[in-house]
Amino acid sequence: MFDEKERALILTYQPRILMDRLDPFPVRLIGCTVFSEPGMSPSFSRLELDPKALGARYIIEYAYYFDYDIQHLYDLEHIWVMVAEDGHVTECWSSYHG
């Protein structure tokens, strides 16, 4: 569970995901991890995130679970948001398949 500060941070910087109305695979669940210190992603193997090394205060990882399984890891995608000391988003990147 998140404390009040982490919850506010996650909600403040949450990405806006635009889906096509005909997309057959809806987002079912979103998991989040807030990195203020170096650490390994809990859901993206071999990815270590270090906010301080990148000049950030936080890196927030959003993991999106899509409700389908085609016997591959295509059902989980990620968006990372890097937040500077002054609260501005300095970078954002994502995973994708296709």
Side-chain angles (χ1 to χ4, degrees), residues 32-98:
C32 299
T33 305
V34 177
F35 294 88
S36 57
E37 298 293 329
M40 298 298 291
S41 168
S43 61
F44 198 90
S45 65
R46 300 181 308 267
L47 178 64
E48 183 174 1
L49 297 165
D50 186 349
K52 303 278 188 276
L54 296 171
R57 183 172 184 185
Y58 302 107
I59 297 176
I60 307 169
E61 177 180 270
Y62 299 87
Y64 291 83
Y65 174 72
F66 292 87
D67 191 18
Y68 68 104
D69 183 6
I70 57 173
Q71 304 304 312
H72 200 278
L73 297 178
Y74 288 9
D75 54 354
L76 188 63
E77 296 297 351
H78 296 77
I79 296 175
W80 295 273
V81 177
M82 194 160 65
V83 182
E85 289 291 336
D86 66 3
H88 287 89
V89 172
T90 59
E91 199 169 331
C92 180
W93 64 99
S94 65
S95 66
Y96 64 91
H97 293 88

